Amino acid sequence: DTGVSQDPRHKITKRGQNVTFRCDPISEHNRLYWYRQTLGQGPEFLTYFQNEAQLEKSRLLSDRFSAERPKGSFSTLEIQRTEQGDSAMYLCASSFSVWQTSDNEKLFFGSGTQLSVL
Amino acid sequence: DAKTTQPPSMDCAEGRAANLPCNHSTISGNEYVYWYRQIHSQGPQYIIHGLKNNETNEMASLIITEDRKSSTLILPHATLRDTAVYYCIVFYYDKVIFGPGTSLSVIP
């Protein structure tokens, strides 16, 4: 068990460029979450997957954001035409979810990708 | 939106118990209470969870009121390393939503 890994750790880009982040969850985990966090705020929910199915996308997320989880393994989060307001820490988390219970459904987080848009 | 309410900040003397409250007055019967903490620059870390009964593990204790409308996380002997933001979350087989949490400062 190597934990949740995210790549890259840091990304600096210019406004208008596209960026893509990758998350590798814990191998047996079927749920994968993406969150965004800015200084002094709690993690803000962006989207989550159950295996390869995207269950929900935050209504706060613009069409410039897209996430995929092909084959229910790793996930990518792409931001197109980045804006300075996209600068934040992007966190990925995974968990093992059992049908109709949430007992012991612990989230394990990666170290995050810090995005800076210049 | 988060279904919980927590004080924005608290202080605790090193070596004393830290009691962090959380209100979840609209909790439904099958929703669990989870606590996480986030130390600066790291991802949140799971602490403890419970449904109805009080729970204890090597990190903390969780006290849930009988009506389940509030809970308290107890760090029995706070150390400087416990300085962090603590998040109380309720959910059931759904997405996990974080609120702003409580920023706990452990003071020497």
Side-chain angles (χ1 to χ4, degrees):
Chain A
D1 180 0
T2 57
V4 178
S5 62
Q6 293 187 243
D7 183 69
R9 290 292 308 275
H10 304 274
K11 179 70 176 179
I12 300 173
T13 191
K14 293 182 179 179
R15 183 165 50 93
Q17 297 294 306
N18 299 344
V19 295
T20 300
F21 310 141
R22 177 180 171 121
C23 172
D24 287 272
I26 293 173
S27 58
E28 64 268 24
H29 283 182
N30 52 10
R31 281 200 172 174
L32 186 148
Y33 292 79
W34 284 100
Y35 295 90
R36 176 172 64 190
Q37 187 171 30
T38 53
L39 199 62
Q41 305 297 315
E44 175 190 16
F45 170 79
L46 295 180
T47 188
Y48 79 130
F49 294 83
Q50 176 93 7
N51 299 311
E52 67 275 9
Q54 188 172 17
L55 296 186
E56 187 168 336
K57 183 176 174 180
S58 170
R59 62 182 182 276
L60 301 176
L61 215 58
S62 76
D63 291 342
R64 297 185 297 106
F65 287 73
S66 63
E68 294 182 342
R69 193 184 182 196
K71 303 179 183 178
S73 56
F74 72 92
S75 176
T76 58
L77 177 68
E78 181 183 17
I79 308 174
Q80 296 182 327
R81 305 181 302 282
T82 53
E83 301 172 355
Q84 288 185 327
D86 298 331
S87 296
M89 174 72 79
Y90 290 82
L91 292 165
C92 175
S94 69
S95 67
F96 184 72
S97 177
V98 177
W99 173 250
Q100 297 294 8
T101 180
S102 290
D103 189 17
N104 218 28
E105 191 173 334
K106 306 171 189 176
L107 287 181
F108 292 82
F109 281 81
S111 298
T113 295
Q114 182 67 51
L115 173 66
S116 297
V117 181
L118 305 179
Chain B
D1 291 344
K3 301 177 184 178
T4 61
T5 304
Q6 299 177 252
S9 63
M10 293 181 63
D11 293 337
C12 177
E14 187 179 17
R16 304 296 295 270
N19 297 284
L20 292 93
C22 178
N23 287 322
H24 31 81
S25 58
T26 61
I27 191 170
S28 60
N30 51 12
E31 285 184 313
Y32 283 77
V33 179
Y34 276 74
W35 283 82
Y36 289 81
R37 75 179 183 184
Q38 186 173 25
I39 296 171
H40 183 61
S41 300
Q42 299 180 18
Q45 174 194 24
Y46 165 84
I47 302 173
I48 198 167
H49 74 281
L51 182 64
K52 296 179 182 178
N53 300 322
N54 299 336
E55 303 287 345
T56 296
N57 63 20
E58 65 279 3
M59 291 182 69
S61 294
L62 173 61
I63 307 297
I64 302 174
T65 58
E66 191 170 344
D67 63 8
R68 301 208 327 121
K69 292 185 177 181
S70 66
S71 60
T72 301
L73 178 75
I74 301 173
L75 308 178
H77 304 287
T79 70
L80 298 179
R81 288 192 299 269
D82 292 322
T83 292
V85 178
Y86 288 77
Y87 301 100
C88 170
I89 296 162
V90 297
F91 81 107
Y92 168 71
Y93 202 63
D94 196 356
K95 60 187 180 292
V96 178
I97 301 296
F98 287 78
T102 295
S103 179
L104 175 69
S105 297
V106 179
I107 301 168

